[in-house]
Every structure is written in structure tokens, then in C-alpha cells.
Amino acid sequence: MARHYIQDIMPAGDEPEEVRGRRKTPERKPEPEPEPEPVPRSIRDIRPSAERSRLVRPPEPRMEHPLPHVPQKRSRARYGIWAAAIAALVVVLGAGLLFAFASTSITVIPYSQTVTFDASTPFTAYPEASAAPGTIPYTVMTQVFEDSAVVQASGTENVEEQATGNIVIYNDYSEEPVRLIKNTRFQTPEGLIFRIPASVDVPGKTAEGPGSIEVTVFADQAGPDYNVGPFERITVPGLRSTKEMYENVYAKSTTAFSGGFSGARPVVPEAILDASKAEVRNRLNEKAQEFVRTASETAFAGLMVVNYETLPPTQESGGNVRINERATVYLPVFPTSALAQSIGQTVSASAEGQSISIRFASDVTAEPAQAFSSADLGQQPIVFTISGRGQLVWDVDSAALAEALAGREEAAFQTIIGSFPSIEEARARIVPFWKNTFPEDPSDISIAVEEPSTPF
């Protein structure tokens, strides 16, 4: 058996020619390679090469039954500690805020009583300078209004008229009244003379100042030369012989003297003149009513005195005449507290010693029980009656209430409130809510007084 050794094996390319010749086999024609299929140009058709396919890790097998989640007890416990800490912080901050904003407030509704006035019950008011304690004082407000209207004239007439005006006479000479007789002269700084048409008594001086009275005076002569003023000081020539009296009994005017005329003046038929005057005076009366409504204290339109005065007409273009009217309003005004106190003592026994205010219904009226004139106002007591309804409201002394509550137990609140007859109802609110005593300092107690409901 022939042995083959490794050295007898030769590569095909190193065989001898004769050997290669003997080994030749018939040549075979190579088969044509199939044409490659066209590659799609879309990015979705990009496939990984064989080399890349071998490098992609196969997906891990999916478990049909995953293992249950094991809660981490340590993390949950940590969250619980944080939640407890936050809750404690909220409680501490809340308590701190309650103490920081601690407050005590009292809401009070004062005692009130409805009053129906009887026209048969008179009230008496006295001039403020002479009013005794416990009575109703009054002062006098004065206001002058003017208005006019244009009418058609029917001709002219010659007229001689004196100027007129109001002055206030002062007595700083004695505590006793000074009597000035009819036609007493008053002289302006320019030497013009005005006279009073009737005798007057000028009240004596008081600790508050000189006595005074307002009167109407007339010019000594007719004509426009007396349409002058006003003046700060008008003297009384008849007192010149007594120096001290001459210096301390004097007058002043607050408005100009007017109405002086001498010459031809347009004539207006009486019927037209009367109708125009009535129209103008109606407008003046509306101004007087508004004056009452704007009074700072209690005033009644039924008690005011209005003095109307016809001023000289003035010539207008086109044969027209402007008629001029003046209204001087004298209004007695009462301090609301004093009037309420007097009314309260008349209708309620519990009003004694209490501070009371009053509210009147819109339809309340007052009328003089005894007639009085503008000259009486400020000099004499006036008697009047009231008709309609009102509401008396007791005034609450907030400072005294806070003083009574300071440092007391909350349980004593209603007992303390009951000791105040001016209080109808009260509510207390103490913060923080667990406190059961009122603050020691009265200034830490806030008191709000609500208005009682109005019955009209």
C-alpha cells in the first residue's frame, strides 16, 4: 500500500506541466449572473446588512407572569415623617397667627323708641344767650335772597323813594338793655343818615360779647345817593354827648342799602305786576326752603319768617322793565341733642340722665303755637308744636362700655350689657376662640355701634 507523505502534496500552481496537462478537464462556460433587483429608494426599505444583523441583540424573552412589586418601606416611612413635620409646622404657624392677630370686637345696637307727636303738646325754646340748663335753646340764621323778572311797561311815572336796608345794632356799653326810640339816627362814615321806623331795645352785653339786634332802617331822604354800603361801623349821633356810650353802642350793615330812586320810572299794569311778583316770590320761597334743608342743626320750615321787599324796577331794552324782589329769611335753629333730650323727657321716663339723639320722618312739620315776628326771634322765647313721627335713639358711651368689660370673664358679658340702659342688644367676638376673658386694656376692645332700623 502506497504511503503518502506531506511533502508529496503540492499546491496546484506548482505542479509540473505534464501533470497539469493530464489533469485538465473540459472547460465550462460560466453561467450568467442574475441581474440585481432594483433597490427601493424609500428610507423605510433600508435593511441592515448581514454584518449588522449579526450585531443586533435579540430581544429578551418576555415573562408571562412578572414578579410582584415589593414596596420600599423605608421611603414610605420617610414621607410620613415629612408629612407629620409639615402638619406640626402648620399648627404652630396657625396658633402664632391667632395670637398675633388676637382681637376683641363688640357690636352694639342702641335702645330706640318711636315717638308720635301730638300737635296739642307745645315746646318752648329760649334765645341761646338766656336759655337755662335743661331747656331748649335756639339761635337765628339769617339769609337774604334776590330774584327778578322782565315785564312789558305801559308808560312812565315820576317816583321819589328812599333806600332801605338792614343793620345790626350792638350794645357793648352795659349789661342792661339800651332803648333807642323811633327815628333814632344812624350815620355812615360818609355822613349819610338812616333812621329806625320804631323803638327797639338793644340787649345788654354778656360774657360772650355785646348784645345785638337786627333792624330795618330807611334813608333820611329819597334818591339813589343812599344806595351805599355795607359798612363795618355806623355810629349813633344822638349818643355823642356820652363818650363811652357813643363808642360802645353802634351798628354795622351786612348788605348794601338799596331802593333809593328819584325821577321818571316805567309803569307796569298792576295785574301784570302782581302776577310777576308772585312768580318771583315763589322762586324766592324755594330758595328759602333749600336754606332750611341745609341747616347744620334741626330747623323747621314752618317756623321761619320771610320778609319780602320790592326793590325799584330797572329799565330794560325794548320798553321792558325788570322787577326786582328781595326775601330776608329768619330761621330759628335748635341744637339737635337739646331738642331730643327735651322730647325724650316728655315721652319716656327712662330718658332721664341719658344722652339722646332724634331722627324725624320726612313728613314732620312744626308750627308756631304763638305768633312771632322777625323782631321777636333772638329776643323772645318762641312756642311751637310738632306734628308727625320721630325716633329717639339713646347714645352709647363706648369708652365706658370698654372700661366695664376690660379683664372680665366672657360669661359676665350679658350682665354687664344689662347695666347700660342705652343698649338694646350686643354681641361679642373674642379671637383666639379659646380665650374666655376680655383684654385687660380697654383700648384693645373695639366697639361698633349699629344704627337701629328706622320705623318710617
Side-chain angles (χ1 to χ4, degrees):
M1 182 172 185
R3 295 181 177 178
H4 297 284
Y5 296 94
I6 193 168
Q7 63 264 23
D8 293 328
I9 299 174
M10 299 179 187
D14 296 336
E15 292 180 327
E17 185 65 28
E18 61 272 15
V19 176
R20 285 198 303 273
R22 290 195 300 270
R23 290 179 180 267
K24 283 186 179 180
T25 57
E27 295 182 359
R28 297 175 60 184
K29 292 183 180 180
E31 296 181 3
E33 296 181 0
E35 294 184 1
E37 296 182 3
V39 180
R41 293 292 182 179
S42 172
I43 193 170
R44 296 179 181 175
D45 297 312
I46 297 176
R47 295 181 176 84
S49 63
E51 186 68 22
R52 285 183 175 275
S53 298
R54 286 194 299 272
L55 295 177
V56 176
R57 179 178 296 177
E60 295 181 1
R62 193 172 177 184
M63 300 181 67
E64 293 295 332
H65 302 286
L67 294 175
H69 174 68
V70 179
Q72 299 187 12
K73 297 182 179 179
R74 186 174 180 182
S75 298
R76 179 169 293 181
R78 183 177 300 170
Y79 291 147
I81 293 173
W82 276 106
I86 292 173
L89 180 61
V90 170
V91 171
V92 172
L93 288 176
L97 288 174
L98 284 175
F99 278 107
F101 295 98
S103 63
T104 299
S105 60
I106 310 295
T107 302
V108 174
I109 299 177
Y111 178 72
S112 62
Q113 182 176 341
T114 302
V115 180
T116 300
F117 295 102
D118 185 355
S120 63
T121 302
F123 296 93
T124 303
Y126 299 86
E128 188 176 49
S130 59
T135 62
I136 304 174
Y138 78 93
T139 56
V140 181
M141 295 179 60
T142 304
Q143 184 68 44
V144 177
F145 299 102
E146 292 186 0
D147 206 335
S148 62
V150 176
V151 296
Q152 180 67 44
S154 61
T156 60
E157 63 178 351
N158 291 321
V159 177
E160 296 286 330
E161 290 186 347
Q162 297 166 293
T164 64
N166 292 336
I167 64 172
V168 179
I169 307 172
Y170 294 92
N171 175 14
D172 200 18
Y173 169 69
S174 68
E175 296 178 356
E176 299 297 324
V178 172
R179 185 171 183 80
L180 300 176
I181 64 174
K182 178 180 178 180
N183 288 328
T184 295
R185 295 176 298 157
F186 290 85
Q187 187 176 43
T188 68
E190 291 82 7
L192 297 176
I193 299 298
F194 290 82
R195 297 177 183 269
I196 56 175
S199 299
V200 296
D201 291 319
V202 186
K205 65 179 180 179
T206 63
E208 288 76 23
S212 64
I213 185 173
E214 185 172 11
V215 298
T216 299
V217 294
F218 295 86
D220 200 35
Q221 298 179 15
D225 293 341
Y226 286 79
N227 296 331
V228 293
F231 300 103
E232 279 297 318
R233 188 178 182 89
I234 302 173
T235 59
V236 183
L239 303 179
R240 198 184 302 271
S241 58
T242 307
K243 181 180 180 181
E244 185 178 357
M245 193 174 186
Y246 175 73
E247 292 177 350
N248 293 285
V249 177
Y250 57 93
K252 71 175 183 179
S253 60
T254 57
T255 59
F257 299 108
S258 62
F261 185 82
S262 179
R265 188 170 64 185
V267 176
V268 178
E270 187 173 353
I272 297 176
L273 184 62
D274 291 342
S276 299
K277 280 185 178 181
E279 179 184 346
V280 173
R281 291 189 177 187
N282 283 336
R283 293 199 296 267
L284 291 173
N285 184 62
E286 291 175 1
K287 294 179 182 179
Q289 296 290 335
E290 181 64 24
F291 177 61
V292 176
R293 288 191 289 269
T294 57
S296 58
E297 295 282 0
T298 301
F300 301 99
L303 300 181
M304 72 175 175
V305 177
V306 183
N307 292 339
Y308 292 101
E309 179 184 359
T310 300
L311 303 178
T314 53
Q315 184 73 44
E316 297 284 321
S317 61
N320 295 326
V321 175
R322 180 177 296 277
I323 60 170
N324 303 287
E325 294 289 313
R326 173 188 293 165
T328 304
V329 180
Y330 301 87
L331 179 66
V333 178
F334 311 95
T336 303
S337 58
L339 181 61
Q341 198 73 30
S342 178
I343 295 173
Q345 292 176 0
T346 302
V347 302
S348 176
S350 61
E352 186 67 31
Q354 298 295 314
S355 177
I356 303 174
S357 60
I358 190 169
R359 292 184 288 185
F360 293 102
S362 58
D363 59 349
V364 163
T365 60
E367 299 293 336
Q370 299 175 3
F372 54 81
S373 66
S374 59
D376 297 325
L377 289 176
Q379 305 301 315
Q380 303 295 331
I382 58 174
V383 183
F384 60 96
T385 60
I386 302 175
S387 300
R389 290 190 301 166
Q391 184 185 37
L392 295 171
V393 180
W394 272 243
D395 298 328
V396 177
D397 189 342
S398 299
L401 178 58
E403 189 72 31
L405 292 172
R408 299 294 299 275
E409 296 287 335
E410 187 178 8
F413 177 69
Q414 292 300 332
T415 302
I416 296 171
I417 292 299
S419 65
F420 285 79
S422 60
I423 298 178
E424 177 76 20
E425 181 184 339
R427 303 183 301 273
R429 181 176 180 271
I430 302 176
V431 177
F433 61 87
W434 60 79
K435 288 189 63 178
N436 57 4
T437 59
F438 291 95
E440 295 286 342
D441 189 351
S443 63
D444 291 335
I445 302 176
S446 174
I447 298 178
V449 180
E450 293 184 354
E451 288 291 336
S453 59
T454 304
F456 40 78

